[in-house]
């Protein structure tokens, strides 16, 4: 994994570690509801129209995925952290199938962390897009 972070920026270090811990709990160790309860704000605004807003809904969604998909996992390739903001380039593997040859779904996630070390939002780098839901027909 490639990391870009100022080791002297304690907030950035904490928040980077929180992102990695969240992904690990939520998907790799299949403790989705525990991970979202610990790291995601209850007021979280979801950008994916398939998932309701809030940390509980996010935890339930990934709990179902990881129950149904034994091979489900996430690999973090790159992570950049500055202060309260963390950007991660990840690859979600086997979220929608159990094919051992699955090449995954690459994603870029940007997050903002509150002073209490809880994630306030995940979304696209453009905040205005992250806070709007768009239903596809």
């Amino acid at each position: 994994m490639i990391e870009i972070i100022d080791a002297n920026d304690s907030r950035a270090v904490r928040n980077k570690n929180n992102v990695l811990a969240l992904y690990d709990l939520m998907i790799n160790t299949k403790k989705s509801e525990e991970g979202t309860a610990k790291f995601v704000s209850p007021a979280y605004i979801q950008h994916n129209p398939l998932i309701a807003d809030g940390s509980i809904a996010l935890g339930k969604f990934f709990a179902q995925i990881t129950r149904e998909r034994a091979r489900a996992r996430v690999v973090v390739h790159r992570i950049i952290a500055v202060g309260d903001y963390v950007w991660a380039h990840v690859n979600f593997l086997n979220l929608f199938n159990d094919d051992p040859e699955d090449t995954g779904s690459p994603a870029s996630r940007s997050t903002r962390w509150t002073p209490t070390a809880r994630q306030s939002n995940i979304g696209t780098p453009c905040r205005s897009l992250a806070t709007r839901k768009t239903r596809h027909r």
Side-chain angles (χ1 to χ4, degrees):
M1 174 177 51
I2 297 171
E3 295 183 25
I4 300 175
I5 187 169
D6 178 355
N8 296 318
D9 183 345
S10 62
R11 285 189 344 232
V13 171
R14 177 200 67 195
N15 294 333
K16 176 209 57 145
N17 291 337
N18 286 348
V19 167
L20 295 175
L22 173 61
Y23 278 133
D24 192 53
L25 274 172
M26 194 167 64
I27 300 171
N28 295 339
T29 62
K30 303 183 182 351
K31 297 178 182 175
S32 304
E33 291 167 294
E34 178 184 333
T36 56
K38 182 174 182 179
F39 291 110
V40 181
S41 167
Y44 166 76
I45 299 170
Q46 177 55 251
H47 65 281
N48 183 334
L50 300 176
I51 307 170
D53 288 342
S55 59
I56 293 171
L58 182 66
K60 286 182 178 182
F61 177 83
F62 278 102
Q64 180 180 347
I65 293 283
T66 57
R67 269 193 310 275
E68 294 172 358
R69 305 287 181 222
R71 289 188 165 100
R73 66 196 185 285
V74 64
V75 176
V76 180
H77 293 287
R78 294 170 188 84
I79 194 160
I80 300 169
V82 177
D84 292 335
Y85 296 90
V86 180
W87 176 84
H89 167 225
V90 302
N91 193 21
F92 294 103
L93 296 148
N94 295 111
L95 289 189
F96 304 107
N97 66 63
D98 276 325
D99 181 354
E101 301 298 317
D102 182 43
T103 57
S105 300
S108 169
R109 299 285 184 246
S110 61
T111 57
R112 180 180 174 273
W113 292 78
T114 65
T116 58
R118 293 193 60 152
Q119 185 176 35
S120 61
N121 207 353
I122 298 180
T124 60
C126 178
R127 185 163 167 72
S128 63
L129 292 176
T131 57
R132 252 191 337 229
K133 284 194 176 215
T134 304
R135 300 284 177 193
H136 298 284
R137 294 180 184 192

